Amino acid sequence: MAEHHETMKFNFEFEPNQKVREVLDEVYQALKEKGYNPINQLVGYILSGDPTYITSHKSARTIIRRVERDEILEELFKVYLENK
């Protein structure tokens, strides 16, 4: 097995992902309307991949599947770290 002594660097041009933002906004509102804690439910979904953490109210469960979980995480990290 080869030894690696240097840190790999990942470069890409990041553009805000409006689709992810719209999906999160819609799902967040649907969860709130149904009385759920949206943050807890979204974290459960991101960690497990289980769509049952997301309500079917206003088709939120279908909407959340329009984007990949890694796209959601990427957008969340970007927004959080740039706005610290």
Side-chain angles (χ1 to χ4, degrees), residues 26-71:
E26 288 182 58
V27 171
Y28 181 89
Q29 289 304 318
L31 287 164
K32 268 191 93 121
E33 286 178 18
K34 290 302 284 183
Y36 294 106
N37 178 320
I39 303 301
N40 288 349
Q41 297 306 114
L42 286 163
V43 168
Y45 170 70
I46 293 294
L47 291 176
S48 70
D50 184 351
T52 61
Y53 279 98
I54 306 301
T55 182
S56 58
H57 177 65
K58 290 191 169 180
S59 300
R61 195 172 293 161
T62 301
I63 292 167
I64 197 77
R65 292 180 181 159
R66 291 182 187 163
V67 294
E68 298 294 326
R69 290 181 298 147
D70 62 328
E71 291 177 283

Side-chain angles (χ1 to χ4, degrees), residues 4 6-8 10 14-15 20 23 32 39 41 45 51 54 56 65-66 71 76 83:
H4 298 281
E6 295 183 29
T7 301
M8 295 285 290
F10 183 74
F14 187 86
E15 295 179 21
V20 170
V23 163
K32 268 191 93 121
I39 303 301
Q41 297 306 114
Y45 170 70
I54 306 301
S56 58
R65 292 180 181 159
R66 291 182 187 163
E71 291 177 283
L76 292 173
N83 294 306

